[in-house]
């Protein structure tokens, strides 16, 4: 069965600093991987996804993630944090023969001025 | 175009009452999903509709939960005899039936509070 682990329920960075949110997955088949962002009192918005092809995926708002099969990881990065990046971030997985999103527990990003 | 909409945005109900939560998917999207977001359980899949196929109800936590999708569009999630543990945010998502099938678009959610 697939599962997703997000290390760190809270991450705090200074404005302008590198953002790194960690996600590891377990899957018996090549997965489809996603990062979603949730702002307060809002639904989930897709940041980026990996299905096939290039392992470095670029998303919205300057975020990117790299699929590393050998490490079963899909960490989310952004070179320079902005105050507006403060939100909760969810990593999710679904496999080819399935459709349900299986979410990690989420990481709340705090950006300090 | 318009995104996924959900109503009501907030619902407070007394324990034991029934509630109905509504989801309007993006026009033309054939797949519709319900998820629940709670403090203790995180984000959980509840039910999935795809076109005219039988829904996948494998995520529904008990027989007090049911959902229907009329005309392949609007969906209603019904919780009967609500319990305090049903308090959560209920999220609806829709997806087009093409190669972007796995890209789900979420509504703002309905926050349910059972007192």
């Amino acid at each position: 069965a697939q599962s997703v682990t997000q290390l760190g329920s809270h991450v705090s960075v200074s404005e302008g600093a590198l953002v790194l949110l960690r996600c590891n997955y377990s899957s018996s088949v090549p997965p489809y991987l996603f990062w979603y962002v949730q702002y307060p009192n809002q639904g989930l918005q897709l940041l980026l996804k990996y299905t096939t092809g290039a392992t470095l995926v670029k998303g919205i708002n300057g975020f990117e993630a790299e699929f590393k099969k050998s490490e079963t990881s899909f960490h989310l990065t952004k070179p320079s944090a902005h105050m507006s990046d403060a939100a909760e971030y969810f990593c999710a997985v679904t496999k080819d023969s399935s459709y349900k999103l299986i979410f990690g527990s989420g990481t709340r990003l705090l950006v300090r001025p | 175009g318009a995104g996924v909409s959900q109503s009501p945005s907030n619902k407070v109900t007394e324990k034991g009452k029934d509630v109905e939560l509504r989801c309007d998917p993006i026009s033309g999207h054939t797949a519709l999903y319900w998820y629940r977001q709670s403090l203790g359980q995180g984000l959980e899949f509840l039910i999935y509709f795809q076109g005219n196929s039988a829904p996948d109800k494998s995520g529904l936590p008990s027989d007090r939960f049911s959902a229907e999708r009329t005309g392949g569009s609007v969906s209603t999630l019904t919780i009967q005899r609500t319990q305090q543990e049903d308090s959560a945010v209920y999220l609806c998502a829709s997806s087009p039936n093409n190669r972007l099938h796995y890209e789900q678009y979420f509504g703002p959610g309905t926050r349910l509070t059972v007192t």
Side-chain angles (χ1 to χ4, degrees):
Chain A
Q2 309 97 299
S3 69
V4 178
T5 302
Q6 291 184 240
L7 293 176
S9 59
H10 292 78
V11 170
S12 180
V13 301
S14 298
E15 190 174 18
L18 171 72
V19 176
L20 171 61
L21 304 182
R22 299 179 185 274
C23 173
N24 288 85
Y25 68 91
S26 65
S27 175
S28 58
V29 297
Y32 289 4
L33 294 156
F34 306 81
W35 276 99
Y36 281 86
V37 61
Q38 187 176 36
Y39 298 101
N41 299 315
Q42 294 187 28
L44 299 169
Q45 180 182 6
L46 181 68
L47 274 178
L48 48 81
K49 66 179 186 289
Y50 169 78
T51 54
T52 59
T55 56
L56 181 62
V57 179
K58 295 186 184 297
I60 62 172
N61 302 338
F63 284 93
E64 62 182 36
E66 186 170 11
F67 170 60
K68 292 186 176 180
K69 185 177 178 180
S70 61
E71 299 178 7
T72 61
S73 69
F74 191 57
H75 301 331
L76 181 71
T77 61
K78 181 174 181 178
S80 177
H82 192 273
M83 297 297 291
S84 61
D85 294 327
E88 189 152 21
Y89 292 79
F90 292 92
C91 183
V93 63
T94 185
K95 66 178 183 180
D96 185 43
S97 60
S98 182
Y99 41 79
K100 310 164 194 175
L101 285 172
I102 298 167
F103 288 93
S105 54
T107 298
R108 188 168 297 278
L109 177 65
L110 173 66
V111 182
R112 304 184 304 271
Chain B
V4 177
S5 61
Q6 294 185 246
S7 59
S9 56
N10 283 282
K11 177 71 176 179
V12 180
T13 190
E14 293 180 352
K15 177 182 174 180
K17 300 286 188 182
D18 297 351
V19 295
E20 287 188 351
L21 312 180
R22 177 187 169 106
C23 171
D24 283 88
I26 293 173
S27 178
H29 282 194
T30 58
L32 186 146
Y33 313 76
W34 284 97
Y35 295 86
R36 179 170 70 173
Q37 185 175 23
S38 58
L39 283 176
Q41 302 298 322
L43 274 157
E44 306 171 281
F45 164 81
L46 296 178
I47 189 169
Y48 161 68
F49 296 89
Q50 174 58 276
N52 295 321
S53 302
D56 179 344
K57 306 178 182 179
S58 60
L60 294 178
S62 77
D63 58 8
R64 295 184 296 104
F65 288 73
S66 63
E68 63 178 21
R69 189 178 184 192
T70 55
S73 182
V74 172
S75 177
T76 302
L77 177 68
T78 301
I79 309 173
Q80 295 178 311
R81 305 181 303 281
T82 51
Q83 303 294 313
Q84 287 185 333
E85 61 262 28
D86 300 334
S87 295
V89 176
Y90 290 81
L91 293 167
C92 176
S94 70
S95 180
N97 186 22
N98 57 30
R99 64 182 177 85
L100 296 177
H101 177 79
Y102 301 102
E103 186 158 340
Q104 296 179 25
Y105 298 82
F106 284 80
T110 292
R111 182 176 298 278
L112 175 66
T113 305
V114 182
T115 62

